[in-house]
Each structure stands twice: as C-alpha cells, then as structure tokens.
Amino acid sequence: DGGITQSPKYLFRKEGQNVTLSCEQNLNHDAMYWYRQDPGQGLRLIYYSQIVNDFQKGDIAEGYSVSREKKESFPLTVTSAQKNPTAFYLCASNRGRADTQYFGPGTRLTVL
Amino acid sequence: QKEVEQNSGPLSVPEGAIASLNCTYSDRGSQSFFWYRQYSGKSPELIMSIYSNGDKEDGRFTAQLNKASQYVSLLIRDSQPSDSATYLCAVNVRNSGNTPLVFGKGTRLSVIA
C-alpha cells in the first residue's frame, strides 16, 4: 500500500532529552513537510524539503532539526532547545509546491 | 502578507441540513485551494481541491471558488453526524519561493442528530 508512515504513534520525553520522530513515504513524492499542531490550533510549519539533501525552515524551526538523506525519509529531531515540545506532529508529502499534500497519521509527543 | 482566515466555530447544524464553511485568503495570486477534514486526534484528510473559479461537486460536497473576492467555501449537503470534525482550508501562495501550502486554523463543525 502506498502512503506515509510515522513512528512512534505516542512518544514521551523527559525534559532535556532529544528525540527523533520518523516519517517515511513510498509515494515517490519529492517534497516532504513537518507540522506541529497544538490543541485547538491550526497547523504550523516547522521544516520542509523540496528535494533530497536540501531543506528550508518554516515558521517555527527553532529547537528542531531535520535531515533529508533519502527521498523516502524525512526525520525530525526535537531538541532540548525546544521550550514547549508537547504537541501533535504531522508529516506530509506531495509532488511539489502547488500539489495536494497528503498527511501521515501523526506522532503525539508529551514531555514529562 | 500570507494569510488564510476561517471562522473557528463551532458551527452547529441539524442532521440533514446544509453546512456552509467559509475561507478567505489574502494573496490575490493564489492558484490552488484545498479543503481537508480532521477528526479529533487524527491527521487531516483531503476532501476536495479546486483551481478554477466556480463550483466543483463531489458527492455531498461542493467547493466554491471566487478569486475576485478571494473567497473559497465548502458546502456539505445532507449533513450527517459523521461529518462532525474540523475543516481546514489550505491555499497555495504564488510567488512565495518554495513556501508550501498555507493552512487556516480550521472551522469546527458539529452536526446534531
């Protein structure tokens, strides 16, 4: 089946720890995106990548890092510098900038 | 200024009625428009895309685009309790480099049985 997978579904982190969220797609999409969603809020863009080995900061990149070594994979690291990381994290992909974005199932991160 | 505006709701409609969801955007050059549905605790799923002025129908859903008024709407006919969700409007902003879709904050719809 074609789609976007994210793991883990739930993640708990202690303050001061870095954690990495996985995002994989087998849709042969060039572009991939990371969003953060807080309760009752819209989607805020963290990072995006239009091509392998290249990525750009979104609106709230501080405290996050990404890599894009393979077309299929776009992992997101939430660093200890992110002051309030508890949120629902969504990965998305598409063929290019103006195309429909498809979302993965999301990872819910909770900082203890 | 990149901006997509939606009324946060909640919008409550009785079962069987027409639900009308509205979205305005600031960039007159926007070319692509999308409606997503998001159930509580789940990820957004695409309902419809629209690129040209006018109406586009898909089953019980109709998207309406008016580029002159910078307005896109989603009509849901014969609303069902299962339509209760948050509806996100997304717009592609022209001439914004590689900036991806801009999302509104969503409108929460409640269909009352």
Side-chain angles (χ1 to χ4, degrees), chain A residues 6 9 33 35 37 40-43 45 48 50 54 56 59 88 90 94 97-106 108, chain B residues 2 32 34 36 38 40-46 49 51 88 92-101 103-106:
Chain A
Q6 291 186 243
K9 185 173 182 179
Y33 310 84
Y35 295 91
Q37 188 174 40
Q41 300 296 314
L43 303 178
L45 182 65
Y48 61 101
Q50 301 286 351
D54 189 40
Q56 288 77 40
D59 300 320
F88 188 41
L90 289 159
N94 67 1
R97 180 162 61 94
D99 194 38
T100 303
Q101 285 187 18
Y102 297 94
F103 287 85
R108 193 165 300 277
Chain B
K2 296 180 291 183
S32 308
F34 306 88
Y36 288 83
Q38 186 176 24
S40 181
K42 302 296 185 181
S43 62
E45 55 181 331
L46 180 73
S49 58
Y51 303 93
L88 302 173
N92 163 251
V93 177
R94 186 191 62 164
N95 295 330
S96 59
N98 286 323
T99 305
L101 297 181
F103 285 82
K105 293 187 176 181

Side-chain angles (χ1 to χ4, degrees), chain B residues 35 37 45-50 54-64 73-78 83 87:
Chain B
W35 282 101
R37 177 176 64 198
E45 55 181 331
L46 180 73
I47 298 176
M48 295 191 68
S49 58
I50 187 167
D55 294 359
K56 179 181 178 182
E57 187 174 320
D58 184 1
R60 294 187 296 112
F61 298 97
T62 299
Q64 299 176 319
S73 64
L74 179 70
L75 302 179
I76 306 174
R77 291 182 299 281
D78 188 23
D83 294 324
Y87 290 80

